[in-house]
Amino acid sequence: MGEHRACSLLGAIPILRLIGVLHIWILVIVLLLFGAFSVSGSPRSSRHFRRCAKHPAAEGVCRGRLREVRNHMTERWYQKAIIYCLDTETFQDSDGDGAGDFAGLTRRLDYLARLGVDCLWLNPIHPSPGRDGGYDVTDYYNVHPRLGTLGDFAEFLQAADSRGIRVIIDLVVNHTSDEHPWFQSARSSADSPYRDWYVWSERAPADRRQGIVFPGEQKETWSYDKTAAAWYYHRFYRFQPDLNISNPRVRDEIKKIASFWLRLGVAGFRMDAVPFLIETTNPDGSMGDKDFGYLTELRQHVQWQRPDALLLAEANVDPDQLPTYFGDSGGSANRLHMLFDFLLNGQIMLALARRDPEPVIGALRDTPPLPAGSQWATFLRNHDEVDLSRLTADQRQEVFAEFAPQEDMRLYGRGIRRRLAPMLGGDQSRIQLAYSLQFTLRGTPVIRYGEEIGMGDDLSLPDREAIRTPMQWSHRPNAGFSTAASGQLVRPVVADGTFGYGKVNVRAQRNDHDSLLSWFEQMTRTLRECPEINTGSCTHVDVPAPPGVLAHRADDTTGTMLFLHNLDDQDATVDLSSLAGIAGPPEEMLADRDYGDIDLAKLAVGGYGYRWIRLC
């Protein structure tokens, strides 16, 4: 009898365990559901709903807070990202050879995560002779041995993913290096299978000195090759022959390259010089139409490989042409997901130079509407020069006079080869103002490595290399970038002056609550609480305002944000009582100082000051 009861109890143990497991899972599901609603319908969000419900004009907007429980697998992650652009070779050296590498970059991922970065954009990582910063590629299916191995890159991707950081890489397929095996084969014989992978002409094209991209450094866009006994086309330098996008085999090869890196784990690509990639050039030198169909084809291909893959592109073209890069004439967003907003960038620089927001107001007004799901990428500084080509000649001279008064600070007659901190005289108030303005305008913010600590430049270096110096981690030799002898570094560190690494480095700013780095970390955290900035509408609040003051707002189903930026050095007050009808008690989210209680009828903002205010 006792044995029978014991056997019965033993037989019941698996059932009891199963019941216990089920209870645990039920509890977990309940907690997850509660947590999901407490994230989007947090106590702060519920409070906003209650107070906004008193104002009928705001009720529909603010009620959206309680609805916003999203599936993170399907939302467009790039619309809420903070993208950080870096050169692997100048970020962190792990083995003392003087060049940064993937192992070193992996060691610094926690720093980037703390900064609030959730997407890394890596400048070219492929094998290259290095005559154009890696944009002259010799092998699209490998990484430069100086940076490590494909295995090192895979480990880096895994480490980034574990921290919630996606990685995109440069896709430089409008041209190759002239040392690429494809071109070496193409030039060797007219019968080469790679001959028509490039654009050739038997006679010298009459327009071979037209369309110069780098004035002063480039003399023509067609060069004669003695081995091939023909002229080949190169929109950029002569050592970068253009691929023939009209060739179906070239198009398929580009898709194969994209597939390779997507399968390895990258989240997408920054595409270089897209207008030149899709332009068709005929052997007689004449230019055909741009092949926008290939962008549609490539978009379909990458999303088949990885549904959330991103295509972020560079297309510095006239405003009326921009929508065509995002999608077809039917309004479908079936081409590029994101474009860098060159138009806005130039206008921000003009506004900062004049201390007058009017250029930014004009850019917001004139920017063409985008198809649903498309996004702008905003930036102040990137890996190239500040491009002022979209400004008039007089406007360009204004910006030069303010930010690049010396000739060696300028490049190609159209740009500035300086970092933002020295352009603004190292004034931390103006630097914070500029980045607050960028981060509150519509789109996804992109920042260049070192901008978060106010790094300087080295104008003794040629061309764009002036802003491509190693990251300044500490006051230790070589700024903590490398243990190699200083003469062995891939580029010299900025050692002297106001922006030398002894004064400007991560370690010095890490625990300084008043530092630029601490401010950046606070701003990125605040941005996460203000989703309206990235995905909502962005409009100028057209009220009488003192010179220098910009008021704009961001609206989405999650609420309404109001922003004030004073580009002048004089304190100002603005009457924004016209917005009181959509606001409960306004809440200060971020500001350059403590302004006390908020009175929309007398809203103060200090010289070079800024305010982020949640209305509902």
Side-chain angles (χ1 to χ4, degrees):
M1 210 46 193
E3 290 179 1
H4 179 71
R5 283 196 300 270
C7 290
S8 298
L9 288 171
L10 288 172
I13 286 175
I15 298 174
L16 292 173
R17 285 177 176 169
L18 178 60
I19 293 172
V21 170
L22 287 173
H23 276 118
I24 291 172
W25 276 109
I26 291 170
L27 179 60
V28 168
I29 291 170
V30 170
L31 289 174
L32 286 174
L33 287 172
F34 178 79
F37 282 99
S38 67
V39 168
S40 63
S42 62
R44 185 178 72 82
S45 299
S46 300
R47 185 174 73 249
H48 277 297
F49 174 71
R50 287 195 299 272
R51 76 186 189 196
C52 289
K54 300 176 183 178
H55 304 277
E59 183 176 355
V61 173
C62 296
R63 181 171 286 138
R65 289 183 175 280
L66 303 182
R67 292 198 302 263
E68 194 190 18
V69 181
R70 298 189 178 182
N71 183 343
H72 292 284
M73 295 297 291
T74 58
E75 70 177 352
R76 299 178 177 97
W77 62 267
Y78 53 88
Q79 292 186 327
K80 295 185 177 181
I82 296 174
I83 302 176
Y84 189 92
C85 168
L86 63 86
D87 288 310
T88 306
E89 68 174 7
T90 57
F91 203 63
Q92 181 65 68
D93 175 16
S94 71
D95 56 11
D97 68 351
D101 45 48
F102 296 124
L105 177 54
T106 302
R107 279 173 39 197
R108 295 297 185 180
L109 284 173
D110 288 325
Y111 163 79
L112 296 169
R114 174 171 170 168
L115 182 59
V117 172
D118 52 13
C119 179
L120 286 180
W121 159 27
L122 303 186
N123 291 146
I125 60 174
H126 305 303
S128 165
R131 300 177 67 183
D132 183 26
Y135 287 89
D136 46 335
V137 176
T138 57
D139 182 359
Y140 289 103
Y141 296 99
N142 211 334
V143 297
H144 199 296
R146 185 167 58 187
L147 307 181
T149 65
L150 276 176
D152 295 328
F153 183 70
E155 285 190 349
F156 155 69
L157 288 177
Q158 190 279 328
D161 183 67
S162 70
R163 291 163 175 81
I165 299 176
R166 290 178 169 88
V167 178
I168 64 175
I169 64 173
D170 266 324
L171 184 64
V172 189
V173 289
N174 51 318
H175 55 240
T176 69
S177 166
D178 61 0
E179 297 180 27
H180 196 292
W182 299 342
F183 186 73
Q184 289 300 309
S185 174
R187 67 194 289 261
S188 67
S189 169
D191 297 326
S192 166
Y194 294 99
R195 185 72 166 198
D196 59 356
W197 282 43
Y198 298 88
V199 182
W200 300 90
S201 176
E202 294 183 358
R203 293 186 297 272
D207 64 348
R208 71 177 190 272
R209 293 185 175 86
Q210 303 299 314
I212 301 295
V213 175
F214 304 123
E217 297 188 11
Q218 181 187 4
K219 296 181 179 179
E220 55 189 4
T221 54
W222 289 84
S223 290
Y224 186 74
D225 183 82
K226 293 181 179 179
T227 301
W231 296 78
Y232 65 91
Y233 181 68
H234 54 91
R235 171 61 88 158
F236 292 90
Y237 296 108
R238 65 176 299 149
F239 55 80
Q240 293 169 319
D242 274 34
L243 286 166
N244 179 11
I245 194 66
S246 300
N247 186 334
R249 292 177 60 208
V250 171
R251 297 161 81 103
D252 289 344
E253 188 70 25
I254 292 173
K255 286 188 277 188
K256 188 188 300 184
I257 293 166
S259 296
F260 177 84
W261 294 101
L262 289 171
R263 289 298 180 179
L264 199 59
V266 304
F269 306 97
R270 176 264 183 183
M271 297 181 65
D272 185 50
V274 167
F276 300 144
L277 169 66
I278 61 174
E279 71 179 5
T280 54
T281 307
N282 301 315
D284 61 2
S286 64
M287 304 298 295
D289 295 332
K290 286 182 170 59
D291 188 357
F292 287 100
Y294 185 63
L295 296 180
T296 308
E297 190 179 326
L298 186 61
R299 165 77 173 263
Q300 291 174 343
H301 177 79
V302 299
Q303 293 207 284
W304 178 258
Q305 298 292 325
R306 177 170 174 161
D308 67 342
L310 169 67
L311 293 179
L312 164 62
E314 180 184 83
N316 190 1
V317 298
D318 293 336
D320 62 335
Q321 299 178 31
L322 289 168
T324 314
Y325 286 84
F326 287 107
D328 57 34
S329 58
S332 299
N334 58 355
R335 290 173 183 164
L336 302 170
H337 300 85
M338 295 178 66
L339 284 178
F340 287 102
D341 198 339
F342 283 95
L343 175 64
L344 179 63
N345 177 254
Q347 297 302 320
I348 290 177
M349 291 300 168
L350 182 60
L352 292 172
R354 290 178 172 176
R355 294 172 172 80
D356 179 357
E358 198 60 39
V360 175
I361 295 171
L364 293 178
R365 180 185 62 242
D366 298 338
T367 301
L370 302 183
S374 300
Q375 183 82 332
W376 295 111
T378 66
F379 63 101
L380 295 182
R381 291 300 294 111
N382 60 13
H383 60 297
D384 292 334
E385 71 278 5
V386 178
D387 191 339
L388 306 175
S389 60
R390 293 284 151 194
L391 301 181
T392 67
D394 289 342
Q395 292 171 338
R396 196 156 45 245
Q397 289 306 314
E398 286 185 68
V399 180
F400 280 155
E402 182 70 18
F403 297 139
Q406 300 172 22
E407 191 62 36
D408 69 343
M409 298 175 176
R410 307 173 188 178
L411 193 61
Y412 310 133
R414 63 168 185 256
I416 299 175
R417 63 187 201 104
R418 305 183 72 191
R419 280 188 178 265
L420 188 69
M423 285 171 60
L424 297 178
D427 185 336
Q428 186 162 314
S429 295
R430 290 194 78 189
I431 297 169
Q432 291 178 359
L433 166 71
Y435 276 104
S436 172
L437 179 59
Q438 180 207 345
F439 272 61
T440 57
L441 294 172
R442 77 284 185 279
T444 297
V446 181
I447 59 173
R448 176 73 168 159
Y449 78 93
E451 290 295 299
E452 73 275 17
I453 59 172
M455 274 179 58
D457 42 51
D458 184 351
L459 296 176
S460 69
L461 296 176
D463 302 333
R464 295 166 167 174
E465 290 189 10
I467 61 166
R468 300 177 180 180
T469 56
M471 181 66 176
Q472 296 171 196
W473 294 106
S474 71
H475 64 279
R476 297 174 65 84
N478 297 329
F481 161 69
S482 174
T483 58
S486 58
Q488 295 179 329
L489 300 185
V490 62
R491 278 184 209 102
V493 295
V494 176
D496 303 318
T498 304
F499 303 98
Y501 66 81
K503 299 178 181 178
V504 177
N505 63 73
V506 171
R507 181 175 294 180
Q509 297 187 28
R510 166 58 67 220
N511 297 313
D512 179 357
H513 296 299
D514 294 324
S515 70
L516 186 59
L517 176 60
S518 294
W519 177 84
F520 255 101
E521 291 175 350
Q522 181 186 12
M523 181 178 65
T524 57
R525 289 194 300 269
T526 306
L527 184 68
R528 301 299 183 200
E529 299 181 66
C530 308
E532 300 85 1
I533 296 174
N534 300 116
T535 59
S537 62
C538 179
T539 53
H540 170 231
V541 180
D542 192 6
V543 297
V549 175
L550 170 67
H552 72 282
R553 58 186 284 180
D555 298 271
D556 203 354
T557 56
T558 52
T560 296
M561 291 290 301
L562 170 67
F563 307 99
L564 279 186
H565 290 88
N566 187 355
L567 278 61
D568 198 7
D569 60 357
Q570 300 298 310
D571 294 354
T573 302
V574 186
D575 180 359
L576 288 166
S577 57
S578 58
L579 300 179
I582 65 166
E587 180 181 358
E588 194 95 66
M589 303 296 291
L590 185 70
D592 65 297
R593 65 189 71 174
D594 183 1
Y595 287 97
D597 294 337
I598 298 174
D599 181 357
L600 291 177
K602 298 178 182 179
L603 205 56
V605 59
Y608 298 143
Y610 58 88
R611 299 183 71 172
W612 299 20
I613 299 172
R614 178 168 290 288
L615 296 181
C616 72

